[in-house]
Amino acid sequence: GDFTTALTAPQAIWSFVIDTANGVLYAGSGAGGIIYRCSMPAGSTTACSSAANFTTATDTPQSYIYSLTIDTTNGVLYAGTNPGGLIYRCVLSTACDSVGDFTTATNTPATTIFSLTVDPVNQVLYAGGDGTGIIYRCLLSTGCDSATDFLTAYDSPETIIYSLTVDTAKGILYAGTGSGGIIYRCVLSTQCDAAGDFTTAYDTPATSLYELVIDGVGNIFAGSGAGGIIYRVSAESTLTARGTCWGTS
């Protein structure tokens, strides 16, 4: 009884992000490349509770919006796509409610941008793609609005970078991959702009790690593809040893 249907879209919903500053929920769809938006007024208990609350922010020429993230410092929404491997950007002050508000930040060599995350301390946007398992980085001070702003942080031996997350408390970037199911780690103070900055935190038995998340006390969870395993490492761990701290949930 706690769960209700907020929206029945004609396509799968692949990604979410909330603009907490302006009170807006964004959702990225598949088989249509639409980004939906819904206003969430402060204090409302019924916001985004019905299809009438949702509007189309933009209907892109892409097929899938696999990833969404927000640069809260500069007020910019980023969206990662398939099949073009594009990263769209929208300045939140425009309301991001029409196609003209969105521009192409970069057209990567990847087919799909599966993951996006922002390091708010060092002001860097990271993007993970398929094809050759590259992690891209962009200094937010550049605007991240042209292809030359995006550089290769790490060209991994893996095929896909499915997930990215930042542990802001410890200053570490984590990346979950396919086809080897590896969790990479990079200490953000190294700038994470060279292959030598990245190490293997855990080579899981899984082949793909679709999601990574860090809770409020610093526990890290990784969700696998086949097998449906959730891996966990406790907040007390420094996670410097290869795989010794990870357990399954």
Side-chain angles (χ1 to χ4, degrees):
D2 295 333
F3 290 85
T4 60
T5 299
L7 174 69
T8 302
Q11 318 89 1
I13 300 297
W14 286 96
S15 51
F16 283 111
V17 74
I18 294 176
D19 171 12
T20 55
N22 297 292
V24 180
L25 168 70
Y26 294 95
S29 75
I34 294 174
I35 299 175
Y36 297 99
R37 77 186 298 280
C38 177
S39 295
M40 307 173 71
S44 173
T45 59
T46 59
C48 304
S49 59
S50 70
N53 302 143
F54 288 82
T55 59
T56 296
T58 185
D59 186 351
T60 77
Q62 294 290 290
S63 296
Y64 295 85
I65 307 296
Y66 273 117
S67 51
L68 292 165
T69 197
I70 288 177
D71 166 15
T72 57
T73 301
N74 299 292
V76 181
L77 168 69
Y78 293 94
T81 76
N82 164 278
L86 305 178
I87 299 176
Y88 291 116
R89 93 190 273 280
C90 180
V91 177
L92 293 170
S93 61
T94 66
C96 298
D97 57 359
S98 66
V99 63
D101 297 336
F102 290 79
T103 59
T104 299
T106 187
N107 184 353
T108 73
T111 301
T112 306
I113 297 298
F114 279 108
S115 50
L116 290 165
T117 196
V118 171
D119 168 13
V121 176
N122 298 289
Q123 290 288 284
V124 181
L125 170 69
Y126 292 95
D130 65 352
T132 57
I134 293 176
I135 300 173
Y136 302 95
R137 77 188 296 273
C138 178
L139 292 173
L140 294 172
S141 59
T142 66
C144 296
D145 54 2
S146 68
T148 56
D149 297 336
F150 289 79
L151 304 174
T152 297
Y154 183 38
D155 188 352
S156 78
E158 291 290 277
T159 304
I160 301 170
I161 305 297
Y162 275 120
S163 49
L164 291 165
T165 195
V166 171
D167 182 342
T168 54
K170 294 182 179 178
I172 299 172
L173 170 70
Y174 293 99
T177 76
S179 54
I182 293 173
I183 298 172
Y184 290 117
R185 145 188 218 279
C186 179
V187 178
L188 292 168
S189 60
T190 67
Q191 306 304 315
C192 298
D193 58 358
D197 299 336
F198 290 79
T199 58
T200 297
Y202 185 30
D203 186 353
T204 75
T207 56
S208 301
L209 296 170
Y210 289 150
E211 291 291 342
L212 286 169
V213 69
I214 300 172
D215 69 15
V217 296
N219 298 308
I220 307 167
F221 298 87
S224 77
I229 298 170
I230 298 175
Y231 298 96
R232 177 186 185 276
V233 65
S234 72
E236 288 75 24
S237 169
T238 57
L239 201 61
T240 55
R242 184 185 177 101
T244 58
C245 304
W246 290 85
T248 57
S249 299

